[in-house]
Amino acid sequence: MTVRIAGDGTIHLDGVCGSEAAEALLARLIATPGATVDWQGCTGAHMAVVQVLLTLRPKLRGVPASAFLARHVAPLLNRPPAGGAAALEA
């Protein structure tokens, strides 16, 4: 599974996170407000996963293993969202 939960509640993204990982990530982030996402093991991510991260703006740990994600997506997640932060209720 590319989305897994550690004992401390951290959500880990590992390997290539396909479109199916977006639903699992979204469900986990909604169920666990304030959860940290560790994406250091993420070697690739479908745009659906990137959209979940851009929309919910979880706290991120580390730099993704993917050079593309590190270079192009991480900077977007490290700046304030346009129009304010999104909030979802379970």
Side-chain angles (χ1 to χ4, degrees), residues 14-90:
D14 297 316
V16 177
C17 298
S19 60
E20 70 285 347
E23 185 176 356
L25 176 59
L26 177 62
R28 279 299 177 185
L29 287 170
I30 290 172
T32 315
T36 297
V37 174
D38 185 328
W39 66 339
Q40 295 175 86
C42 185
T43 58
H46 190 277
M47 276 307 298
V49 173
V50 173
Q51 288 173 335
V52 169
L53 294 173
L54 286 169
T55 301
L56 298 184
R57 301 282 179 154
K59 180 180 176 193
L60 296 172
R61 180 180 299 152
V63 177
S66 162
F68 178 86
L69 292 174
R71 186 175 307 120
H72 299 288
V73 178
L76 296 174
L77 293 168
N78 289 326
R79 67 179 186 204
L88 292 179
E89 295 181 18

